[in-house]
Amino acid sequence: TEILAGSLVYTPTNGESGTPYTTIEFSVADSSNEFSITRNTLTIDVAALNEQPVLTGNSGAVVAEGAQITIDRSFLELSDADTPDSNLNYLITRLPENGLLLLDAAALEIGQTFTQVDVDSGRLSYHHGGDETRSDRWSFSFSDGSSPASLSNDFLIDVTPVNDSPTLAALNAII
């Protein structure tokens, strides 16, 4: 009667899946509580669900005027329990205005991608253009290739000014 009433529920461990996931052996009793001698096996399959990636780190960075900084996992991190880091993709949606976003020293463009492995390997960097600006930013969305892309996120960059050497603009000498 519990089965017919829908009272029998099996809940797998969160995040686990498998085919078969587990099996349950049981015996059946009739209305007079006489159990059959035949053992029955119920096989339970649990299909894996695709979890969306989570942006677990986006701290921004601080760079000196005209300098370059490597953007590694301490600045930018995606996590997804069911997807390897090599499949966690960032998509460039806005370029920095006062510098360059580089992957292996090559400038990235809007629409190009890089992975969490690229970030973890120190292949992503930002190079400030050297002007007197105090901040910059670039934007990205992310996906695991199975889930829809996230909304756009900003990566903020604070620029520390450098005391530039004075330059001589013009000299009008009177002799």
Side-chain angles (χ1 to χ4, degrees), residues 20-56:
Y21 178 75
T22 192
T23 57
I24 299 172
E25 290 189 6
F26 62 96
S27 298
V28 178
D30 60 19
S31 59
S32 63
N33 277 341
E34 294 291 324
F35 283 90
S36 70
I37 58 172
T38 306
R39 298 208 86 164
N40 299 287
T41 302
L42 173 65
T43 300
I44 298 174
D45 296 335
V46 177
L49 294 177
N50 180 45
E51 299 291 331
Q52 291 191 348
V54 176
L55 185 61
T56 54

Side-chain angles (χ1 to χ4, degrees), residues 54-153:
V54 176
L55 185 61
T56 54
N58 182 12
S59 65
V62 177
V63 64
E65 175 186 315
Q68 183 167 319
I69 187 167
T70 299
I71 301 170
D72 61 20
R73 190 177 205 98
S74 66
F75 297 108
L76 186 63
E77 181 179 9
L78 284 178
S79 62
D80 187 344
D82 61 8
T83 304
D85 287 352
S86 59
N87 290 351
L88 296 177
N89 296 300
Y90 296 87
L91 172 71
I92 305 299
T93 58
R94 181 182 190 274
L95 292 172
E97 294 178 2
N98 303 309
L100 295 172
L101 187 61
L102 306 167
L103 183 63
D104 287 333
L108 287 167
E109 298 294 330
I110 290 177
Q112 288 187 299
T113 63
F114 59 92
T115 68
Q116 185 63 48
V117 169
D118 293 327
V119 174
D120 295 347
S121 301
R123 297 173 50 195
L124 183 69
S125 62
Y126 169 82
H127 185 251
H128 183 255
D131 57 12
E132 299 301 319
T133 57
R134 299 290 303 266
S135 65
D136 206 353
R137 72 177 181 177
W138 54 275
S139 303
F140 61 94
S141 61
F142 57 86
S143 175
D144 61 4
S146 299
S147 302
S150 71
L151 298 176
S152 190
N153 298 270

